[in-house]
Amino acid sequence: MDAFSYLAVLLSIILGLAVAQILTGMRGRMLSRATIRRFWPSDLLAIVFLLVLSQTWWAMFDLRNRETWTFVAFFVLLLQTILIYLQTGLIYPDFPPTQPVDLHAHYFAQRRHLFSLAIASTLVSISRDLVLNHALPHPMNLAFHLAYIALAITGLLSASERLHKALVVTMAAAFVSYVTLLFTRLP
């Protein structure tokens, strides 16, 4: 087994757990639909994070030919996947079988954690290129990262429902554009 295959096992497990978080939340939402106060930005965030997880796993394939690994290089990848996992765990609450769930209240209760983690994971993503390639990401890639950080800062600082609805739609559109322009093919 080569080094990347060995290291990728743990990263894949964490990404898989993150997917499980979202799917469990979606399932809980479906089972609790009679006792739930809906908030569509939570559902859109769940879909966006399924894309984020897919893109993260997809982009890691580019590392398969890397022969030299340091603990710092591995740790940056590990930290990025952990931060993404933590974000996915905040999208939906646990769904108790007999109690009502307010997705609106949950979103705004977790907003600061969610957007703080979004900023942190994006900064780690930028540092990933610095650690692995000793350079900043490609200018277009860096521009998307910086735009995503700006959007996350907006979400962190504002509690306006109207702004958050627009913000989640903008983040979804930006991420789809990002993947479409930069990651449609395996390297």
Side-chain angles (χ1 to χ4, degrees):
M1 177 182 279
D2 63 281
F4 177 71
S5 296
Y6 176 76
L7 299 174
V9 170
L10 181 57
L11 303 174
S12 296
I13 289 170
I14 295 168
L15 292 174
L17 289 170
V19 170
Q21 280 283 348
I22 294 172
L23 297 179
T24 301
M26 289 177 165
R27 178 184 176 273
R29 188 188 174 292
M30 287 186 272
L31 293 174
S32 302
R33 66 184 171 276
T35 60
I36 196 168
R37 177 180 178 205
R38 293 184 172 97
F39 188 60
W40 64 262
S42 296
D43 297 324
L44 183 56
L45 265 181
I47 292 166
V48 168
F49 269 92
L50 285 174
L51 293 173
V52 167
L53 291 162
S54 300
Q55 184 276 332
T56 301
W57 193 61
W58 181 267
M60 283 188 186
F61 186 73
D62 192 29
L63 301 173
R64 72 195 179 285
N65 295 323
R66 185 180 186 86
E67 293 180 15
T68 304
W69 283 93
T70 64
F71 182 75
V72 172
F74 172 67
F75 183 76
V76 168
L77 294 173
L78 182 62
L79 183 59
Q80 182 182 16
T81 58
I82 289 170
L83 292 171
I84 292 170
Y85 168 81
L86 291 173
Q87 289 173 79
T88 64
L90 296 174
I91 295 171
Y92 288 118
D94 292 333
F95 290 90
T98 59
Q99 296 176 346
V101 174
D102 186 339
L103 289 179
H104 179 275
H106 176 79
Y107 177 92
F108 283 99
Q110 299 305 323
R111 165 185 68 83
R112 290 181 187 223
H113 290 110
L114 183 67
F115 288 103
S116 294
L117 288 167
I119 293 165
S121 65
T122 307
L123 289 172
V124 170
S125 182
I126 293 170
S127 69
R128 171 185 149 160
D129 281 302
L130 287 170
V131 169
L132 294 176
N133 304 324
H134 307 293
L136 285 170
H138 182 275
M140 185 183 292
N141 193 356
L142 183 60
F144 274 108
H145 280 77
L146 295 176
Y148 198 79
I149 289 171
L151 292 170
I153 289 171
T154 302
L156 179 66
L157 297 177
S158 174
S160 163
E161 181 176 334
R162 176 184 274 174
L163 181 129
H164 274 268
K165 287 178 176 178
L167 182 64
V168 170
V169 170
T170 303
M171 291 175 96
F175 192 77
V176 168
S177 298
Y178 173 70
V179 170
T180 302
L181 292 171
L182 299 175
F183 293 101
T184 54
R185 292 177 171 230
L186 284 176

